[in-house]
Amino acid sequence: VPIVATSNRGHKEIISNEFNGYLVNIGDYKELVNKIEYLINNKEIKEKFINWKLTKYMIKFTDQGVP
């Protein structure tokens, strides 16, 4: 699932902005709404984020990512 979250230390560790989700400035509610609406209306971007997360998972946590 693509993620939209505020840009704080914890979120920055698990979300790569524009690769598997969006990070918005804390308190920027308009940008938060804009990013959520963008994901809802853009299936291609949503799929890109999902595929990137699956690839990252495969590389990091399975032997398929080990050369």
Side-chain angles (χ1 to χ4, degrees):
V1 175
I3 300 169
V4 180
T6 55
S7 183
N8 67 31
R9 196 172 100 199
H11 295 153
K12 289 179 184 179
E13 291 180 20
I14 60 171
I15 301 168
S16 298
N17 193 41
E18 298 189 10
F19 286 100
N20 68 335
Y22 289 115
L23 294 170
V24 299
N25 292 323
I26 295 171
D28 192 346
Y29 302 107
K30 287 183 181 183
E31 184 66 11
L32 181 68
V33 170
N34 287 339
K35 294 299 184 187
I36 292 170
E37 287 178 344
Y38 186 76
L39 282 173
I40 290 169
N41 295 317
N42 291 278
K43 185 177 179 178
E44 184 178 303
I45 295 296
K46 189 172 18 177
E47 293 298 320
K48 175 187 148 194
F49 288 171
I50 291 168
N51 290 333
W52 186 89
K53 282 165 94 172
L54 290 172
T55 300
K56 184 177 180 181
Y57 170 81
M58 295 298 284
I59 291 169
K60 196 168 189 177
F61 299 109
T62 71
D63 55 350
Q64 290 183 17
V66 178

